[in-house]
Amino acid sequence: MTCLPVSVVIVSRERPDALDRCLTGISQLDYPDLEVVVVACPAGMTRIRSRFDARRIKTVPFDTPNISEARNLGIAAAAGEVIAFIDDDAVPEPLWLRYLMPAFNDAEVMAAGGYVVGRNGISLQWGARSVDHGGHTAPIKVADNAITVLHPTAQRAIKTEGTNMAVRRDVLASFGGFDPAFRFYMDETDLNLRLAREGLATAIVPQARVHHGFAPSIRRRADRTPKDLTEIGASYAVFLRKHCPKNQHDAQIATFISNQGQRLLRLMQSGQLDPLDVQHLLKGLKSGIAQGSERPLTNQPSLPKPSTGFLPYPTKTGTRHILISGRRHQRAALLDKARTVLKTGDIPVVLCLSHTALYHHLRYLPEGIWLQTGGLFGRSDRAAPLVQMTRLQPRAKAERRRMNQSWNLSPAL
């Protein structure tokens, strides 16, 4: 199979620790022909210089809170035939591009998206979806272990997620990239609608998985509680102006405000917000909608060709993914064994279980180790039985089978 050259674009602002972790994950990808482009603020640039070989990364300094403008700078610097996007608070599974990129062997595929795994490292945050001119999504049924090529309709586009998507560079450049009127939120959804307008096909690849952590930012806390909804409101208003019939705007905005209000009330009931917080956030949301209703909409010029050639980034092509299993009291020894595996160039996945029925969580440690914790009798897949009576060895085999839907794990050590 021919591996198309791909540029991975990462935008990072005021989250150097998250960027560090993301780049470590990128360095463990099993894909032979990629370059990395990072568009980052000064803190991100400093972290790259201190922790990575900056000569192997294309860096673009940028310190303005506009993700679309930042991504466009990354596209302009990228020399890959395909450009893949991942957020700085996300980490790809090692076979991410091995699964995602073959979609582009089909000449009619212009974009592709994989699945996004949520905070527990196991459950899906976003799967296959479509989206309409009001920004409303609906699930799409696709095969779990295959590439599905989908075509848009007059009513619905194929949804991809900004933290796990790829687009042919020439298509992105001809579109002018992302629309800078979307400073945050719905920037990739706008692109989905523009692709649909041209009747271009998108592939959905469930096995191409990225783990998304929702790191804190100027707009949300670490627990995903919002701190400001102004730009969300502004982007939604821009989206409606670009894609939704004008006579539907008022109804769509009313529904949008109601849905956001219900979300805030749930957060207040859980103790994450107080009434004054809710009032402040709704005020910001409505102010943003007013701003977005007046924000200039312009035709985007085509993006230029890159001024430098493709810069290959060293990855872990052909390495093994080693499952290491044991009990909670052995955690220190298991992690030491994982560090030994790392030194050999392979990628360790540690299964560390207590004698309980606790739910499982999978997370990526900054040093490059995947760690799954929970109870021997607890569930990993949230649709599985609450309690599973088993022993360590059979449970390790079961978890290996589950993970191998998107991994290629060697038998447990």
Side-chain angles (χ1 to χ4, degrees), residues 119-188:
R119 291 169 67 88
N120 65 28
I122 295 170
S123 303
L124 283 185
Q125 188 178 97
W126 296 305
R129 301 188 293 169
S130 65
V131 61
D132 67 12
H133 58 236
H136 307 291
T137 60
I140 301 174
K141 180 64 177 177
V142 298
D144 290 333
N145 300 310
I147 296 169
T148 301
V149 178
L150 299 168
H151 297 82
T153 67
Q155 291 75 37
R156 303 198 73 87
I158 310 306
K159 183 80 174 74
T160 57
E161 311 302 336
T163 193
N164 185 2
M165 63 182 287
V167 188
R168 293 188 190 272
R169 190 193 191 281
D170 57 355
V171 171
L172 268 177
S174 68
F175 277 23
F178 294 87
D179 187 344
F182 296 90
R183 298 172 187 170
F184 170 77
Y185 185 65
M186 300 198 82
D187 46 303
E188 73 274 14

Side-chain angles (χ1 to χ4, degrees), residues 2-193:
T2 301
C3 290
L4 294 174
V6 56
S7 302
V8 177
V9 171
I10 308 164
V11 173
S12 184
R13 189 166 186 270
E14 302 301 336
R15 299 198 294 205
D17 291 342
L19 176 61
D20 190 320
R21 181 171 166 270
C22 178
L23 286 172
T24 300
I26 295 289
S27 71
Q28 291 184 335
L29 286 175
D30 186 341
Y31 194 82
D33 203 7
L34 71 87
E35 70 172 4
V36 176
V37 182
V38 179
V39 184
C41 67
M45 293 294 180
T46 299
R47 182 59 61 90
I48 290 172
R49 288 192 293 268
S50 65
R51 283 272 294 122
F52 300 91
D53 185 352
R55 298 169 300 177
R56 309 302 293 271
I57 300 173
K58 289 184 177 179
T59 55
V60 182
F62 187 71
D63 197 18
T64 301
N66 187 321
I67 192 168
S68 295
E69 191 174 348
R71 283 178 171 160
N72 288 348
L73 291 172
I75 296 166
E81 187 172 333
V82 175
I83 301 180
F85 298 91
I86 186 170
D87 290 348
D88 64 352
D89 62 345
V91 177
E93 291 185 357
L95 296 176
W96 175 44
L97 294 179
R98 282 285 187 187
Y99 284 122
L100 189 64
M101 293 304 294
F104 293 96
N105 292 332
D106 185 335
E108 72 170 345
V109 171
M110 296 296 118
Y115 279 8
V116 179
V117 179
R119 291 169 67 88
N120 65 28
I122 295 170
S123 303
L124 283 185
Q125 188 178 97
W126 296 305
R129 301 188 293 169
S130 65
V131 61
D132 67 12
H133 58 236
H136 307 291
T137 60
I140 301 174
K141 180 64 177 177
V142 298
D144 290 333
N145 300 310
I147 296 169
T148 301
V149 178
L150 299 168
H151 297 82
T153 67
Q155 291 75 37
R156 303 198 73 87
I158 310 306
K159 183 80 174 74
T160 57
E161 311 302 336
T163 193
N164 185 2
M165 63 182 287
V167 188
R168 293 188 190 272
R169 190 193 191 281
D170 57 355
V171 171
L172 268 177
S174 68
F175 277 23
F178 294 87
D179 187 344
F182 296 90
R183 298 172 187 170
F184 170 77
Y185 185 65
M186 300 198 82
D187 46 303
E188 73 274 14
T189 310
D190 168 67
L191 180 63
N192 297 151
L193 268 290

